[in-house]
Amino acid sequence: MCGIVGYIGMQPAVPVLMAGLKSLEYRGYDSAGVSVCVSDEIYTVKAKGDLSHLEAKLKETALPEATLGIGHTRWATHGAPSDVNSHPHMGRKGIVALVHNGIIENYLELKAELMEKGCTFQSETDTEIVAQLFEYLYDGDMVGTLRKVLQRVHGAYALGIICKDHPDQLLAVRKDSPLLVGLGKEENFIASDIPALLSYTRDYYLLNDNEIVLLKRDGVSIFDLDGNPIEKEVFHVSWDASVAEKEGYDYFMMKEIMEQPRALQKTISPRILEGNINFEGIGLTEEMIASLRRIHIVACGSAWHAGIVGRYVLEKLTRIPVEVDIASEFRYRDPIFGENELCIVISQSGETADTLAALRLAKQAGVRILSIVNVVGSSIARESDDVIYTWAGPEIAVATTKGYTTQLSVLYMIALYFAKAKGLLRQEEEKMYLEELKLLPEKTSQVLHACNSGSIEALAKQLCKREDFFIIGRGIDYAAAMESSLKLKEISYIHSEAYAAGELKHGTISLIEEGTPVIAIATQSTLLEKLVSNIKEVKARGAYVIAITEEGNSFVADVADEVIYIPKATDLFTASYNVLPMQIFAYHVAVARGCNVDKPRNLAKSVTVE
Ligand code: F6R
């Protein structure tokens, strides 16, 4: 949510900033801007719209060649997308320019105070208050001034700051919003995420909250809020720059859908060793697991949907009661914690603000935290007692695909691991589940190839003008319906509702009329007959039914208009397969409707604000 870059070195800054912003555009794309500092002056260009608008404006208004600059791509929170609300923001005397990711919570109070002192404001943003405050408190020393500023601002922030008096310095700080420091040769960088650094360096520092960084061309110094120097460990990016490229696909989303078999392989295979699930390095002991009385799962969006599938699987295999909460609700509902409880936190980015806050709440109450995270070293990973990484690689498309399915695979492994620790898994059952897990990547690949053979694309073209869909299922299929519905909504802007199939007749069935598309997910063997009855109920009211079911369930074809088959699997793992045709269906519907698949309107990846 908002992308920040900053550069200080020997190269012309603008191309470096623009390339960095391009790779961070998934974090926000309603406006963008850059500022550079040269000859004791700051020059800024900003434009509403995605980066192409800024590119065009930069062609008209060429900036002087500079080797220091900051850039920003925005997801609006305070103030509509517009040129003036875009970052960087300046102080009134134009001494500093600043980019920000996060929210300054006490900005109204600070604004009133600064207005009393004669400051006037150009924009509606919370960010401009920080720029103005910086200038107001500025005493010639960048780090010292920032320390004073930070005593006054409350909220979440990653800031990049340049000052016309210090053309050899780039200043940054983070609190509750991500920021990395890239370490080059005679050049250094700040960025919200690794892809912005990859063309220049693979070495970086991960910043902790409240760490202030002063970057110069030939060195980086880090301080705490009292100004004491801090030593940091250098991390090294292990993945290749090409993973952040489209590699011939039209959109990252399709590339990432097709990457799922490999992502699952990387997530699962190192963890099945000699017929056992092995979570190397996790501190949860068998005794702790055996004494667990309750598990809380907290997450947002698709990660929350993964958690709902996880509840079915965990409760079935471990008999431990599981509560699944949306993180933004959990954190404000005064949740009840008890002895011997565990909180499983799920997040692809590891930076989602509400999920991080929910984690902190549970941790404060003394609950042990086990997180399932994709981004190594992210805030959620760092603040958890134990982390199990999904090795999905970077996910660039805003709509998650491989992030979600790898989260499911980790939840299955946790359930099996806990069930075994509790002595609840018979040997033959364990063997069967482990075999299924090992087959997950291969079977995922088969489903994806079958789905890409053209029939789903044709179905998408046939139905792309419809404005309402229902997606129904029971049990795990209902959880999968929620994720399927979100995929369709977020990228194609078609309204769709996921419904527990047995619940439709309690009101919502009144919305079904001639031709209403209903996608029925029918893979739970014990619930199949009941689901078939639910299909008949909607068919009787004119619905056009597309069923997703397992091979061999040919009788489903008798009640549905279209059938998509997925391979047979244990009931507990079917969510991993039935979501795949829906990812591909949503993708083709969005393409057919001319939507920007990777960057849907109003959205951004990594939601670092509440
Ligand atoms: C939907 C999607 C979002 C995220 C949610 C949580 O496709 O991507 O719903 O799942 O914003 O994000 P993470 O997993 O990064 O915490």
Side-chain angles (χ1 to χ4, degrees):
M1 194 146 275
C2 296
I4 286 181
V5 286
Y7 176 75
I8 184 159
M10 312 276 271
Q11 307 186 48
V14 172
V16 178
L17 297 174
M18 290 304 287
L21 291 180
K22 193 127 214 107
S23 64
L24 295 180
E25 215 185 354
Y26 67 88
R27 302 181 67 86
Y29 32 84
D30 55 45
S31 54
V34 288
S35 289
V36 294
C37 180
V38 66
S39 313
D40 301 340
E41 275 309 324
I42 292 176
Y43 300 86
T44 299
V45 175
K46 317 200 271 192
K48 179 181 167 188
D50 65 16
L51 270 184
S52 61
H53 295 84
L54 179 62
E55 261 161 0
K57 214 160 171 184
L58 280 167
K59 276 191 190 133
E60 288 163 22
T61 328
L63 287 172
E65 197 159 298
T67 55
L68 167 65
I70 49 178
H72 188 268
T73 176
R74 179 169 187 248
W75 185 85
T77 58
H78 295 57
S82 67
D83 287 5
V84 75
N85 286 335
S86 314
H87 303 209
H89 287 282
M90 311 277 295
R92 69 176 161 154
K93 296 185 200 140
I95 299 172
V96 295
L98 176 149
V99 286
H100 168 218
N101 172 23
I103 288 183
I104 304 302
E105 283 164 5
N106 59 337
Y107 83 104
L108 285 174
E109 172 195 324
L110 292 172
K111 187 171 184 176
E113 192 181 315
L114 288 164
M115 281 171 87
E116 260 180 37
K117 297 184 191 329
C119 286
T120 49
F121 291 84
Q122 310 293 316
S123 75
E124 302 157 87
T125 66
D126 51 338
T127 304
E128 190 186 351
I129 277 78
V130 189
Q132 299 271 18
L133 182 65
F134 194 102
E135 262 197 27
Y136 183 74
L137 297 173
Y138 179 61
D139 58 9
D141 170 25
M142 290 274 275
V143 173
T145 306
L146 182 58
R147 284 174 49 214
K148 286 192 263 176
V149 169
L150 297 181
Q151 284 169 11
R152 300 298 323 278
V153 296
H154 304 154
Y157 43 81
L159 298 171
I161 307 167
I162 55 174
C163 173
K164 71 182 189 127
D165 296 346
H166 298 280
D168 59 342
Q169 296 183 7
L170 167 62
L171 188 64
V173 64
R174 72 153 267 181
K175 182 182 159 276
D176 295 338
S177 287
L179 196 66
L180 306 168
V181 177
L183 305 168
K185 221 172 168 190
E186 296 293 313
E187 56 183 1
N188 292 300
F189 309 79
I190 55 168
S192 301
D193 199 1
I194 286 173
L197 304 175
L198 276 183
S199 307
Y200 311 99
T201 180
R202 292 170 160 270
D203 294 331
Y204 66 100
Y205 289 142
L206 279 168
L207 292 183
N208 290 325
D209 279 352
N210 300 315
E211 288 181 345
I212 296 173
V213 199
L214 184 66
L215 299 96
K216 297 190 175 174
R217 180 171 55 76
D218 54 359
V220 172
S221 317
I222 305 182
F223 307 93
D224 65 16
L225 288 183
D226 296 322
N228 303 310
I230 298 175
E231 290 295 318
K232 303 276 312 174
E233 181 189 350
V234 177
F235 285 82
H236 192 74
V237 187
S238 54
W239 38 274
D240 204 82
S242 67
V243 295
E245 305 287 332
K246 284 194 206 142
E247 290 178 345
Y249 287 96
D250 291 338
Y251 289 101
F252 277 110
M253 183 175 175
M254 185 51 91
K255 176 186 173 237
E256 289 163 7
I257 287 173
M258 298 311 285
E259 278 172 355
Q260 289 178 105
R262 190 149 170 269
L264 286 164
Q265 187 75 41
K266 287 177 83 175
T267 304
I268 297 169
S269 62
R271 286 161 175 147
I272 304 184
L273 294 178
E274 295 165 2
N276 285 304
I277 302 282
N278 183 310
F279 288 131
E280 215 184 351
I282 94 165
L284 256 183
T285 61
E286 283 198 2
E287 292 70 45
M288 287 177 190
I289 294 167
S291 65
L292 282 178
R293 290 212 199 130
R294 191 161 58 145
I295 298 174
H296 302 268
I297 299 183
V298 287
C300 299
S302 297
W304 174 63
H305 296 153
I308 296 171
V309 175
R311 174 176 59 200
Y312 283 104
V313 181
L314 276 159
E315 286 192 339
K316 184 95 186 159
L317 292 178
T318 70
R319 307 312 296 158
I320 303 170
V322 180
E323 283 179 18
V324 191
D325 273 89
I326 295 173
S328 56
E329 291 295 314
F330 181 81
R331 61 184 290 197
Y332 294 115
R333 81 166 162 85
D334 196 7
I336 300 167
F337 298 108
E339 294 277 296
N340 299 328
E341 296 192 345
L342 175 74
C343 182
I344 300 182
V345 174
I346 312 174
S347 175
Q348 186 283 128
S349 62
E351 299 292 349
T352 301
D354 283 316
T355 311
L356 182 59
L359 176 161
R360 288 176 179 163
L361 186 73
K363 201 171 172 181
Q364 221 170 20
V367 177
R368 193 175 177 94
I369 311 290
L370 168 65
S371 64
I372 302 173
V373 173
N374 193 40
V375 177
V376 176
S378 54
S379 302
I380 290 174
R382 283 190 284 167
E383 294 191 26
S384 301
D385 297 296
D386 294 303
V387 190
I388 302 174
Y389 284 108
T390 50
W391 297 115
E395 201 176 53
I396 311 282
V398 164
T400 183
T401 51
K402 60 179 182 171
Y404 168 78
T405 47
T406 51
Q407 285 162 355
L408 291 183
S409 72
V410 171
L411 284 159
Y412 303 156
M413 288 190 278
I414 292 175
L416 290 171
Y417 188 77
F418 283 17
K420 187 161 185 191
K422 289 191 72 184
L424 291 177
L425 211 54
R426 278 177 297 148
Q427 227 178 5
E428 62 276 19
E429 259 182 323
E430 183 185 14
K431 203 164 159 238
M432 183 272 287
Y433 285 125
L434 290 182
E435 276 312 306
E436 282 271 356
L437 260 180
K438 284 193 212 155
L439 286 173
L440 201 56
E442 174 55 31
K443 279 161 96 176
T444 297
S445 170
Q446 284 168 16
V447 179
L448 290 175
H449 284 101
C451 289
N452 268 338
S453 64
S455 53
I456 293 197
E457 185 176 355
L459 195 61
K461 284 185 176 147
Q462 177 196 329
L463 296 173
C464 69
K465 298 249 159 57
R466 308 300 310 208
E467 288 303 331
D468 291 291
F469 276 70
F470 286 87
I471 308 184
I472 60 171
R474 283 171 174 260
I476 289 182
D477 288 345
Y478 171 44
M482 291 185 193
E483 174 58 10
S484 303
S485 169
L486 181 60
K487 286 285 94 63
L488 191 60
K489 275 189 276 239
E490 66 184 327
I491 61 169
S492 72
Y493 318 143
I494 289 178
H495 166 254
S496 87
E497 248 179 84
Y499 239 80
E503 182 65 13
L504 268 183
K505 56 180 148 319
H506 296 283
T508 308
I509 203 164
S510 63
L511 293 170
I512 306 288
E513 52 188 17
E514 198 56 40
T516 305
V518 175
I519 298 173
I521 305 183
T523 65
Q524 297 299 292
S525 56
T526 53
L527 297 167
L528 211 51
E529 284 178 8
K530 295 190 189 308
L531 207 272
V532 166
S533 303
N534 299 137
I535 295 179
K536 286 186 178 155
E537 287 160 12
V538 291
K539 273 298 297 170
R541 281 141 187 105
Y544 182 79
V545 176
I546 302 132
I548 299 177
T549 193
E550 289 183 342
E551 282 156 4
N553 295 339
S554 47
F555 55 92
V556 173
D558 300 336
V559 288
D561 296 282
E562 298 282 342
V563 185
I564 297 166
Y565 290 103
I566 58 165
K568 271 211 162 312
T570 160
D571 276 4
L572 293 185
F573 296 175
T574 48
S576 293
Y577 301 117
N578 55 38
V579 74
L580 304 171
M582 286 308 297
Q583 292 172 346
I584 292 182
F585 179 72
Y587 172 89
H588 285 300
V589 170
V591 171
R593 288 167 70 98
C595 302
N596 185 340
V597 175
D598 284 342
K599 290 183 257 170
R601 71 181 178 209
N602 305 341
L603 293 178
K605 197 137 186 107
S606 191
V607 184
T608 52
V609 294
E610 266 195 57

